[in-house]
Amino acid sequence: MHLPVLVILVLCSQAQQCMEMYKTAFGKQGNASPKAVGDLVFAYCKTNLKLSSAKSMDELCRPMVRKAEDKMRHFPPNEVVTPELACKSVEELAELFPAHHRAMLEEQERERASPATLVEQEAGALRDALKQSAEKELASWKQGMDREIQARMKSLSAKFDMAIQAAVQNFTRVVRNEFKQLFR
């Protein structure tokens, strides 16, 4: 047997085993939502994995479940997962669901952002919020000050008008009295 033929037979065998595992895990329904696959694989693992080990079944099944859940992130949330789809590679899933794949990569980038970048972004958002709040408060104070200054100016103007009128009346009275005394 040639090496390429052997590789193809091994790959076909692995694909068949994968399909059988997911068919058994999905049960009579034959498919599942991406969110449910991890639990179904966990139940499958606990009932079908036969190993003699000091580790608990939970510990033994955890890597298999984690791998299945990681792969399910490549499915749109509303997509129905069949055994055939569950056995596809991540690259094949990216080709099948390109929009979801792009969105998932963007989300991973956000998750991987450094803590310093996250703090910087949060600080920028807080600075902008503080600036808006301060500008709003200052505008409110300015309006109040403008109203108060206008009211004071009107009051002072009225007082000056009355003072000027009183001064004119006094001056007129004094001038009359002086003329009266002059011409008497």
Side-chain angles (χ1 to χ4, degrees):
M1 205 178 268
H2 295 286
L3 187 59
V5 173
L6 184 60
V7 170
I8 291 172
L9 288 175
V10 169
L11 291 176
C12 288
S13 174
Q14 287 176 346
Q16 189 62 32
Q17 287 175 347
C18 178
M19 295 268 287
E20 290 301 319
M21 183 202 73
Y22 279 107
K23 282 180 184 175
T24 305
F26 292 169
K28 292 177 184 174
Q29 187 175 354
N31 58 43
S33 71
K35 282 185 177 183
V37 171
D39 292 336
L40 293 172
V41 168
F42 183 69
Y44 167 85
C45 180
K46 284 183 81 167
T47 57
N48 294 303
L49 189 65
K50 306 289 186 227
L51 291 175
S52 56
S53 173
K55 292 183 176 181
S56 71
M57 289 303 282
D58 289 355
E59 289 178 273
L60 292 171
C61 292
R62 193 173 302 128
M64 178 188 269
V65 172
R66 188 175 304 121
K67 185 176 179 180
E69 288 174 340
D70 287 345
K71 188 182 256 188
M72 291 305 114
R73 292 182 66 202
H74 295 271
F75 283 87
N78 56 353
E79 185 68 32
V80 174
V81 180
T82 63
E84 294 81 15
L85 286 174
C87 291
K88 291 201 178 286
S89 70
V90 170
E91 292 79 19
E92 291 172 316
L93 293 174
E95 289 175 13
L96 279 173
F97 311 111
H100 178 73
H101 183 70
R102 279 191 304 276
M104 188 192 69
L105 290 177
E106 290 170 1
E107 180 182 332
Q108 286 175 343
E109 282 300 314
R110 284 190 299 275
E111 288 173 359
R112 277 190 238 146
S114 71
T117 303
L118 295 174
V119 168
E120 185 178 307
Q121 289 172 349
E122 193 170 318
L126 288 171
R127 181 184 62 240
D128 292 343
L130 180 61
K131 183 179 176 182
Q132 274 185 334
S133 178
E135 287 173 350
K136 187 176 178 181
E137 192 65 31
L138 286 173
S140 173
W141 287 351
K142 183 184 180 301
Q143 287 176 351
M145 292 297 289
D146 285 348
R147 278 187 248 117
E148 187 176 330
I149 288 171
Q150 287 175 354
R152 285 185 181 180
M153 288 177 69
K154 284 180 185 177
S155 173
L156 285 174
S157 176
K159 287 179 183 177
F160 283 134
D161 282 346
M162 290 185 343
I164 290 172
Q165 287 176 1
V168 168
Q169 287 175 354
N170 270 345
F171 181 73
T172 307
R173 196 171 16 98
V174 168
V175 168
R176 280 188 197 145
N177 285 339
E178 288 296 322
F179 275 120
K180 281 183 187 176
Q181 286 180 2
L182 253 162
F183 295 110
R184 266 196 216 198

